[in-house]
Amino acid sequence: MTFKVDFKVRDYECDLQGIVNNSVYFNYLEHARHEFLYAKGVDFAQLAKDKINLVVIRSEMDYKHSLIPGDEFYVAVEPVRISRLKFAFKQIVVRKRDEKVMLNALVTGTSVNEKGRPFLPPEIDNLFKTEI
Amino acid sequence: MTFKVDFKVRDYECDLQGIVNNSVYFNYLEHARHEFLYAKGVDFAQLAKDKINLVVIRSEMDYKHSLIPGDEFYVAVEPVRISRLKFAFKQIVVRKRDEKVMLNALVTGTSVNEKGRPFLPPEIDNLFKTEI
Amino acid sequence: MTFKVDFKVRDYECDLQGIVNNSVYFNYLEHARHEFLYAKGVDFAQLAKDKINLVVIRSEMDYKHSLIPGDEFYVAVEPVRISRLKFAFKQIVVRKRDEKVMLNALVTGTSVNEKGRPFLPPEIDNLFKTEI
Amino acid sequence: MTFKVDFKVRDYECDLQGIVNNSVYFNYLEHARHEFLYAKGVDFAQLAKDKINLVVIRSEMDYKHSLIPGDEFYVAVEPVRISRLKFAFKQIVVRKRDEKVMLNALVTGTSVNEKGRPFLPPEIDNLFKTEI
């Protein structure tokens, strides 16, 4: 996985156990995916304005270790083509100081138009074609 | 699934696509699990104070349909014993007006003590025993 | 203040101090305002779709006491007209078991159209007129 | 204000109006304050573990303009001593591309011990002394 986004844990992301709340990893992964897409010329926010919605249809996440306040980490992103209308992202969350994998994820998505019908814009289609 | 927690979508939970953000379902599911545990005599926040942390080790979520502003829904919770030290929750998110299943989830957890070692408190152990 | 919305603290809303994070009160207040507006026939989400945005221009919040896991509380809302184009909401967060005021807030807003110009839809205008 | 923390808007921070949700500015401001404190030798998370809680007692925020997806900005922090037991932070949110001030804030806090009594640790006391 060559695409990486750097992060640092913010205290408000931690819950009463003093560790990053499980739901927040979802935020990290989403931001990394959108940065990946943006780097490849796909603007998630603009697509939403154009009534084309990229949507997650399945997520699998394995929590290995917990991030704590102050931790610096990166999220790596690797695109995977699943089928004609489905694409996925392999993602890992890696703590920087020891390169420990904190979380493994596979997030599968598709793209729908204003009517909720499957519609893969060419730039998405190409993006996942070229990466296989 | 007989244990249910009622919710209503709050506008701030929706993102720029105008639908509930994916990460927020995680919040809904967590709250429903904690309410389930509390109803069974297990207080998540008190356990955390006692340095016993219930932690999620894996989540699988299938997003079927999107919740939108104003939607009323419930989250149902069913406990499942996985192994001696692992337990899980089957969870569904159901829109009330038509009983449509919006999301299916399986969330697997374990319990660790202050040293991060597996430790299942008796009340957790019993909870998942009796429900098989 | 006669308009009230009931809430219960969710564990994920608490931070590493074990209390509800300061930013979350903002979420509570916003949800209560939107419920108030909705009860009066003003749909925030629909307005946003129609490119009319209700926006907060100033907030003042006095934090008196902290909500903790499990607390049940309500948020009361009282509309106040500030000027021709500005309106405000007096809001308090009250813990149910002892009617203790946890937070006092004054949130001032206005309404803008697609071009960012001030535009008060009649239903908003009337809402704050009649309440003086 | 010489202390600054860099940020970039993440799509999940935006709400159905397509702009950063009001509550999220609170997160930005908190993170910037904690980074400021950390840079000065005060570790918020460690203090919480030691049962010394820095708490916000009042916030005033003026929303000037809205951040949107992709915006890069910084939050500047300036400490102000209010009284023997109270301290404050002047904070501004500035969009980088044109140095436009998006938000002005004054956040007042104090410090309490395990019993909820006012207690200002020396490192906090000194921090606000030297900055006047």
Side-chain angles (χ1 to χ4, degrees):
Chain A
M1 300 192 198
T2 53
F3 189 86
K4 295 173 184 178
V5 181
D6 288 319
F7 290 83
K8 185 180 177 184
V9 172
R10 302 173 183 174
D11 288 347
Y12 68 80
E13 297 169 336
C14 299
D15 62 20
L16 48 80
Q17 289 186 336
I19 58 179
V20 171
N21 186 263
N22 292 312
S23 71
V24 175
Y25 291 91
F26 233 93
N27 293 147
Y28 295 155
L29 297 179
E30 180 191 297
H31 181 55
R33 289 195 306 274
H34 291 200
E35 289 290 273
F36 169 81
L37 290 171
Y38 195 79
K40 302 292 183 181
V42 179
D43 183 338
F44 179 88
Q46 186 56 50
L47 278 178
K49 275 190 189 168
D50 297 342
K51 312 289 184 192
I52 295 168
N53 283 333
L54 305 185
V55 294
V56 170
I57 54 177
R58 179 172 169 81
S59 71
E60 294 171 53
M61 291 161 75
D62 288 295
Y63 295 82
K64 302 294 191 187
H65 302 281
S66 298
L67 289 167
I68 60 171
D71 275 351
E72 298 189 40
F73 63 99
Y74 63 82
V75 178
V77 181
E78 187 191 326
V80 188
R81 186 63 172 250
I82 301 291
S83 70
R84 196 170 63 86
L85 291 170
K86 291 182 192 172
F87 48 88
F89 299 88
K90 280 189 195 175
Q91 297 191 267
I92 52 172
V93 174
V94 180
R95 188 168 60 194
K96 280 185 180 177
R97 66 176 159 83
D98 56 5
E99 286 288 314
K100 196 172 219 172
V101 175
M102 311 302 273
L103 182 138
N104 259 311
L106 181 69
V107 180
T108 309
T110 189
S111 179
V112 294
N113 64 15
E114 198 169 357
K115 294 174 181 170
R117 299 253 172 78
F119 170 75
L120 220 56
E123 62 265 40
I124 296 278
D125 195 34
N126 290 328
L127 177 54
F128 287 86
K129 236 174 223 148
T130 59
E131 298 281 340
I132 290 169
Chain B
M1 301 192 197
T2 54
F3 189 86
K4 295 172 185 179
V5 181
D6 288 319
F7 291 82
K8 184 179 178 184
V9 172
R10 301 174 183 174
D11 288 347
Y12 68 80
E13 296 168 336
C14 298
D15 61 21
L16 49 79
Q17 289 186 336
I19 58 179
V20 171
N21 186 264
N22 293 312
S23 71
V24 175
Y25 291 90
F26 228 94
N27 293 148
Y28 295 156
L29 297 179
E30 179 191 298
H31 182 55
R33 290 195 305 275
H34 290 201
E35 288 290 274
F36 169 82
L37 291 171
Y38 195 79
K40 302 292 184 181
V42 177
D43 183 338
F44 180 89
Q46 186 56 51
L47 279 177
K49 276 191 187 166
D50 297 342
K51 312 288 184 191
I52 295 168
N53 283 334
L54 304 186
V55 293
V56 169
I57 53 177
R58 178 172 170 80
S59 71
E60 295 171 54
M61 292 161 75
D62 288 295
Y63 295 82
K64 302 292 190 187
H65 302 281
S66 298
L67 289 167
I68 60 172
D71 275 352
E72 298 190 40
F73 62 99
Y74 63 81
V75 178
V77 181
E78 187 191 326
V80 187
R81 187 64 171 250
I82 301 291
S83 69
R84 197 169 63 84
L85 291 169
K86 290 181 192 172
F87 49 87
F89 298 87
K90 281 189 192 171
Q91 299 191 265
I92 52 172
V93 174
V94 180
R95 187 168 60 193
K96 279 186 181 177
R97 66 175 159 84
D98 56 4
E99 287 287 314
K100 198 171 218 175
V101 175
M102 311 301 275
L103 181 139
N104 259 311
L106 181 69
V107 180
T108 308
T110 189
S111 178
V112 295
N113 65 15
E114 198 168 357
K115 293 172 182 171
R117 300 253 173 76
F119 171 75
L120 221 56
E123 63 265 40
I124 295 278
D125 195 33
N126 289 328
L127 177 53
F128 286 87
K129 236 174 221 148
T130 59
E131 298 281 342
I132 291 169
Chain C
M1 300 190 198
T2 54
F3 188 87
K4 295 172 184 178
V5 181
D6 288 318
F7 290 83
K8 186 180 178 184
V9 172
R10 302 174 183 173
D11 288 346
Y12 69 80
E13 296 169 336
C14 298
D15 62 21
L16 49 79
Q17 288 186 336
I19 58 179
V20 171
N21 186 265
N22 292 312
S23 71
V24 175
Y25 291 90
F26 230 94
N27 293 147
Y28 295 156
L29 297 179
E30 179 191 297
H31 181 56
R33 288 195 306 275
H34 291 201
E35 288 290 273
F36 169 81
L37 291 171
Y38 195 79
K40 302 291 184 182
V42 178
D43 183 338
F44 180 89
Q46 186 56 51
L47 279 177
K49 276 190 188 167
D50 298 342
K51 312 288 186 193
I52 295 168
N53 283 333
L54 304 185
V55 294
V56 170
I57 53 176
R58 179 171 169 80
S59 71
E60 294 171 55
M61 292 161 74
D62 287 295
Y63 295 82
K64 302 295 191 186
H65 302 281
S66 298
L67 289 167
I68 60 171
D71 275 352
E72 298 188 41
F73 63 99
Y74 63 82
V75 178
V77 181
E78 188 191 327
V80 187
R81 186 63 172 250
I82 301 291
S83 71
R84 196 170 63 86
L85 290 170
K86 291 181 191 171
F87 48 88
F89 299 87
K90 281 190 193 173
Q91 297 191 266
I92 52 172
V93 174
V94 181
R95 188 168 59 194
K96 280 186 180 176
R97 67 176 158 82
D98 56 6
E99 286 288 314
K100 197 171 218 173
V101 175
M102 312 301 274
L103 181 138
N104 258 311
L106 181 68
V107 179
T108 308
T110 190
S111 179
V112 295
N113 64 16
E114 198 169 357
K115 293 173 181 170
R117 300 254 172 77
F119 171 75
L120 220 56
E123 63 264 40
I124 296 277
D125 196 33
N126 290 329
L127 177 54
F128 286 86
K129 237 174 221 149
T130 59
E131 300 278 341
I132 289 170
Chain D
M1 300 193 197
T2 53
F3 189 86
K4 295 173 184 177
V5 181
D6 288 319
F7 290 83
K8 185 180 178 184
V9 172
R10 302 173 183 174
D11 288 347
Y12 69 80
E13 297 169 335
C14 299
D15 62 21
L16 48 81
Q17 289 187 336
I19 57 179
V20 171
N21 186 264
N22 292 312
S23 71
V24 175
Y25 291 90
F26 231 92
N27 293 148
Y28 296 156
L29 296 179
E30 180 191 298
H31 182 56
R33 289 195 305 275
H34 291 202
E35 289 289 274
F36 169 82
L37 291 172
Y38 196 79
K40 302 292 183 179
V42 178
D43 183 338
F44 180 88
Q46 186 57 50
L47 279 178
K49 276 190 188 167
D50 297 342
K51 311 289 184 191
I52 295 169
N53 283 334
L54 304 186
V55 293
V56 170
I57 54 177
R58 179 170 169 80
S59 70
E60 293 171 54
M61 292 160 74
D62 287 294
Y63 296 82
K64 302 294 191 188
H65 302 281
S66 299
L67 289 167
I68 59 171
D71 275 352
E72 298 189 40
F73 62 100
Y74 63 83
V75 178
V77 181
E78 186 191 327
V80 187
R81 186 65 170 248
I82 302 291
S83 70
R84 197 169 62 84
L85 292 169
K86 291 181 192 171
F87 48 87
F89 299 87
K90 280 189 195 173
Q91 298 191 266
I92 52 172
V93 174
V94 181
R95 187 168 60 194
K96 281 186 180 176
R97 66 177 158 84
D98 55 6
E99 286 287 314
K100 197 171 218 174
V101 174
M102 311 301 273
L103 181 138
N104 258 312
L106 182 68
V107 179
T108 309
T110 189
S111 178
V112 295
N113 65 15
E114 197 168 359
K115 293 172 182 171
R117 299 253 173 77
F119 172 75
L120 221 56
E123 63 264 41
I124 296 279
D125 196 32
N126 289 329
L127 177 53
F128 287 86
K129 237 174 222 146
T130 59
E131 298 281 342
I132 291 170

